[in-house]
Amino acid sequence: MSDNDLNWKYADDVVTESDALSKARQQSLELGIDPISPATGAQIAVIAAATAATNIVEIGTGVGVSGMWLFAGAPGATLTSIDTELDHQLHAKANFAEAGIPTNRVRLIPGRALDVLPRMNENSYDIVLIDADAASVIEYVEHGLRLARPGGTVLVPHALWRGRVADPAKRDDLATGFRTLITEIAASGAVVSALSPAGDGLLQLTKRGV
């Protein structure tokens, strides 16, 4: 095992997940959904807490793993979560309830994010988390930056896409798309950005104030 692999494993292993989160993670894996890693979850919880987030949008509900981590950092927040899979959202609803998250804190919207996002209010959200169809990640980030308030943050888990993005020899559409996104964001003056190697990568974009 390489030093990097040891670091990633250690970063995951030091995170303690609640019983409800551990159950949701296992359920996610059984359904073939790739959840964010424990280290990534802990990182987004810190960002949610530091932001004092009260209004969060999530693209890609899954069975609620990332949503539960957001609530771990911002228990008083309201989460709007969009997913095409209604069955997954039903699992998420049950998992949120088991974690003690009040039902009035969660709004689950079934449907295509690219149909829903244009109808949402711009400059209104503290955090926008994007963990859905990777082929549409650039469009999702464009919407996310529109929705985020000045000083708000867009989070993109899986930004290193299974280790393929950092390897220039990997030229498939998904690796190239993430690589283009990361390069363009790094050169943008509209955001403060950072790429964390935790888990499968976490791209963080904080929208500069106007």
Side-chain angles (χ1 to χ4, degrees):
M1 185 177 287
S2 70
D3 288 345
N4 282 340
D5 289 336
L6 286 170
N7 289 337
W8 289 323
K9 184 177 186 304
Y10 182 76
D12 276 337
D13 289 347
V14 297
V15 176
T16 301
E17 292 190 316
S18 67
D19 290 342
L21 247 171
S22 295
K23 178 181 175 182
R25 179 176 300 282
Q26 183 59 38
Q27 184 182 59
S28 182
L29 294 170
E30 290 171 357
L31 291 171
I33 306 167
D34 188 11
I36 60 172
S37 74
T40 302
Q43 198 164 2
I44 69 171
V46 168
I47 293 168
T51 307
T54 60
N55 210 5
I56 300 173
V57 174
E58 178 184 45
I59 304 169
T61 310
V63 300
V65 174
S66 53
M68 292 164 77
W69 269 117
L70 287 164
F71 278 116
T78 298
L79 173 68
T80 300
S81 189
I82 307 163
D83 202 297
T84 57
E85 298 292 338
L86 179 58
D87 286 348
H88 294 169
Q89 289 190 324
L90 293 175
H91 288 303
K93 184 177 181 180
N95 290 331
F96 289 144
E98 184 165 340
I101 297 165
T103 56
N104 64 352
R105 295 285 183 192
V106 182
R107 179 188 180 205
L108 300 177
I109 302 177
R112 291 180 67 252
L114 293 178
D115 293 333
V116 176
L117 293 170
R119 302 197 299 268
M120 302 182 76
N121 293 331
E122 63 183 33
N123 298 318
S124 299
Y125 296 91
D126 303 301
I127 292 176
V128 180
L129 187 138
I130 298 167
D131 189 12
D133 173 25
S136 299
V137 68
I138 292 176
E139 290 175 276
Y140 291 153
V141 168
E142 289 173 351
H143 280 290
L145 289 172
R146 181 182 64 82
L147 298 179
R149 62 166 175 80
T153 298
V154 177
L155 300 172
V156 187
H158 303 293
L160 291 175
W161 198 248
R162 301 177 173 88
R164 300 181 69 81
V165 173
D167 183 352
K170 306 299 184 184
R171 299 185 177 277
D172 56 278
D173 289 346
L174 292 181
T176 300
F178 275 109
R179 201 176 293 128
T180 298
L181 171 64
I182 292 166
T183 301
E184 290 182 355
I185 287 298
S188 172
V191 298
V192 179
S193 66
L195 176 62
S196 165
D200 194 24
L202 178 65
L203 181 61
Q204 306 154 70
L205 321 170
T206 295
K207 188 173 176 178
R208 291 186 186 274
V210 293

